[in-house]
């Protein structure tokens, strides 16, 4: 049997009854949009995250766009961000009218805060920072907070991969003005479809985000903003509440145990496991390893032959994507050499809560038996 990156068949066996109960509840309620299920899920999520407000939206991309707009980004303002992430991170900046400014990543693959510091010292007009807590690691929040204070930045945190991750004692998303997350099915808290949320402690920002997800409507038929239609569905909220949220802590522990086994077990001169950032209590949304670029295909083939699926996160730098190059304004600082190490040499190993112990051992053995 193949060892899969994600195993929705096994997940379905675990969640089936609770999903059906959630669907039954919504069906019987006759209320499908912005009802009590969304309210209930938002309350649970904000409590779990330790934030005052959670606003359920249609997906992670919209969550980021709404977060940026609600925080007040204005057309043409520059937003410092990472070239190594889901394209949605940058797309949200562009859709909100901002100009993405890329700096390199560090050895963990997350935005390099020292480089941010250098850029911000030179480019004093940059007021926005959008870090991504990539792979389930937490960006060093103390360093982020210092940067935020020193340069009077508005920070929007992309927590699509970092639900429950902490830096020291603090959850990701709690340093900036606002955070965005995604419940895309593969994420650590995955819906059975598209969904996302905006999180903040700022009540006026939360009110604007609430309006923006619903055509910019502030009260019935009163539109103060040019908003989106990006409401979290009652169905998704009910499923998340009944069938997914109750497992989150257990599933996160399983990811951590697998990461621990990989870190102890994988010993190969050509395979490097990038370090987690200082103080990161990671939730291992992904498990990236690095190999020399010319050897990458050999590892993927070897693992494939042993029935192990692999992924890339990510195979192309965002500023090198055609959509960006041909249509929008953006800036790049430096040569992005570290980010390029990841686009050319990264391989993602299977890490999901449904892997058996034997499968974890199979992955480790397959890595160790690789003869490039
Ligand atoms: C998944 C993801 C997004 C986008 O979320 P969607 O729900 O797919 O729109 C944004 N940023 C990061 C880092 C992601 O992993």
């Amino acid at each position: 049997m193949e060892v899969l990156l994600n195993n929705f068949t096994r997940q379905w066996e675990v969640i089936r009854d609770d999903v059906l109960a959630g669907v039954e509840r919504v069906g019987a309620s006759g209320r499908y949009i912005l009802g009590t299920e969304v309210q209930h899920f938002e309350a649970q999520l904000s409590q779990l995250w330790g934030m005052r407000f959670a606003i359920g939206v249609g997906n992670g991309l919209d969550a980021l766009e709404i977060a940026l707009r609600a925080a007040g980004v204005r057309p043409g303002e520059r937003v410092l961000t990472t070239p190594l992430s889901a394209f949605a991170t940058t797309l949200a900046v562009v859709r909100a009218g901002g100009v993405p400014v890329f700096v390199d990543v560090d050895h963990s693959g997350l935005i390099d805060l020292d480089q941010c510091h250098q850029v911000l010292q030179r480019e004093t007009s940059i007021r926005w920072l959008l870090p991504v807590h990539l792979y389930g690691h937490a960006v060093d929040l103390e360093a982020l907070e210092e940067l935020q204070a020193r340069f009077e930045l508005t920070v929007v945190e992309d927590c699509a991969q970092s639900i429950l991750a902490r830096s020291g004692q603090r959850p990701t998303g709690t340093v900036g003005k606002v955070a965005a997350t995604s419940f895309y099915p593969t994420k650590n808290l995955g819906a059975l479809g598209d969904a996302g949320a905006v999180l903040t402690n700022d009540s006026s920002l939360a009110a604007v985000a609430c309006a923006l997800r619903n055509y910019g409507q502030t009260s019935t038929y009163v539109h103060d903003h040019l908003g989106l239609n990006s409401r979290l569905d009652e169905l998704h909220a009910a499923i998340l509440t009944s069938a997914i949220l109750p497992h989150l802590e257990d599933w996160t522990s399983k990811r951590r145990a697998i990461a621990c086994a990989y870190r102890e077990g994988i010993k190969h001169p050509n395979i490097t496991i990038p370090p987690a950032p200082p103080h990161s209590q990671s939730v291992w949304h992904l498990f990236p390893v690095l190999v020399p670029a010319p050897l990458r295909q050999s590892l993927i083939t070897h693992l494939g032959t042993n029935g192990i699926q692999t992924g890339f996160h990510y195979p192309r730098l965002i500023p090198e994507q055609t959509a960006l190059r041909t249509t929008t304004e953006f800036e790049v600082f430096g040569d992005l050499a570290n980010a390029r190490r990841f686009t050319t040499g990264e391989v993602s190993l299977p890490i999901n809560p449904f892997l058996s112990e034997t499968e974890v051992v199979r992955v480790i053995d397959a890595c160790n038996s690789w003869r490039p």
Side-chain angles (χ1 to χ4, degrees):
M1 261 229 285
E2 214 189 352
V3 184
L4 301 174
L5 289 170
N6 298 290
N7 198 321
F8 295 112
T9 313
R10 288 186 195 166
Q11 178 177 268
W12 180 245
E13 286 166 21
V14 175
I15 64 175
R16 182 182 181 279
D17 291 349
D18 295 327
V19 170
L20 296 181
V23 173
E24 173 67 35
R25 244 187 2 258
V26 174
S29 79
R31 174 101 198 229
Y32 304 145
I33 299 288
L34 295 184
T36 52
E37 294 291 344
V38 169
Q39 274 171 21
H40 190 54
F41 173 69
E42 289 173 339
Q44 290 209 12
L45 185 71
S46 64
Q47 196 190 2
L48 175 76
W49 212 305
M51 303 272 272
R52 285 181 62 206
F53 305 98
I55 301 102
V57 299
N59 54 69
L61 168 64
D62 288 353
L64 282 163
E65 179 187 339
I66 290 170
L68 283 157
R69 290 180 58 186
V73 76
R74 282 198 305 272
E77 286 193 307
R78 298 195 283 170
V79 181
L80 207 51
T81 191
T82 172
L84 188 73
S85 180
F87 188 69
T89 307
T90 293
L91 185 53
V93 171
V94 175
R95 285 193 358 186
V99 175
V101 177
F102 298 101
V103 291
D104 205 359
V105 300
D106 58 20
H107 293 292
S108 309
L110 282 69
I111 192 165
D112 186 333
L113 295 180
D114 292 334
Q115 278 212 27
C116 288
H117 192 280
Q118 288 169 22
V119 169
L120 289 163
Q121 232 161 6
R122 271 204 323 246
E123 305 288 322
T124 49
S125 70
I126 299 178
R127 291 263 100 98
W128 292 82
L129 176 61
L130 200 178
V132 179
H133 300 284
L134 197 69
Y135 301 138
H137 295 319
V139 168
D140 185 340
L141 288 186
E142 218 172 288
L144 181 65
E145 192 169 45
E146 264 175 45
L147 210 62
Q148 174 177 253
R150 164 129 196 211
F151 296 100
E152 295 173 17
L153 301 171
T154 306
V155 175
V156 177
E157 297 181 55
D158 183 339
C159 299
Q161 303 188 0
S162 72
I163 189 162
L164 293 191
R166 288 171 181 265
S167 176
Q169 291 308 308
R170 302 156 88 182
T172 61
T174 55
V175 160
K177 195 171 177 64
V178 56
T181 195
S182 163
F183 311 120
Y184 184 80
T186 62
K187 301 287 155 76
N188 288 24
L189 183 69
L192 270 58
D194 279 310
V198 174
L199 293 125
T200 185
N201 287 320
D202 181 324
S203 57
S204 49
L205 193 155
V208 177
C210 262
L212 283 175
R213 76 170 165 187
N214 194 21
Y215 322 122
Q217 178 172 278
T218 44
S219 57
T220 311
Y221 298 124
V222 177
H223 298 266
D224 291 353
H225 315 273
L226 294 173
L228 296 73
N229 176 352
S230 187
R231 299 171 294 232
L232 174 63
D233 284 311
E234 285 284 283
L235 268 175
H236 286 308
I239 290 168
L240 283 162
T241 301
S242 299
I244 315 290
L245 253 184
H247 296 286
L248 182 61
E249 293 209 8
D250 178 45
W251 287 349
T252 303
S253 309
K254 294 211 164 101
R255 286 176 184 273
R256 286 180 166 145
I258 297 163
C260 194
Y262 285 169
R263 297 216 290 179
E264 277 171 16
I266 297 172
K267 300 266 182 268
H268 192 289
N270 295 121
I271 300 178
T272 315
I273 299 173
H279 320 298
S280 174
Q281 317 260 339
S282 309
V283 294
W284 301 99
H285 171 60
L286 295 164
F287 194 90
V289 300
L290 285 174
V291 296
L295 301 183
R296 176 158 74 171
Q297 190 50 52
S298 157
L299 176 61
I300 292 164
T301 306
H302 174 76
L303 293 176
T305 308
N306 284 276
I308 294 157
Q309 199 183 25
T310 51
F312 298 128
H313 297 89
Y314 292 85
R316 190 177 289 193
L317 294 179
I318 294 175
E320 294 181 357
Q321 294 286 1
T322 307
L324 213 62
R325 284 193 1 237
T326 55
T327 62
T328 60
E329 196 188 333
F330 67 91
E331 291 168 39
V332 177
F333 280 93
D335 57 4
L336 309 184
N338 285 336
R340 220 172 285 281
R341 275 277 289 132
F342 281 81
T343 57
T344 59
E346 189 269 350
V347 176
S348 299
L349 302 180
I351 189 160
N352 69 67
F354 306 100
L355 293 180
S356 68
E357 274 174 46
T358 0
E359 287 173 324
V360 172
V361 172
R362 263 178 67 195
V363 174
I364 294 169
D365 289 348
C367 287
N368 293 343
S369 68
W370 175 43
R371 296 289 167 267

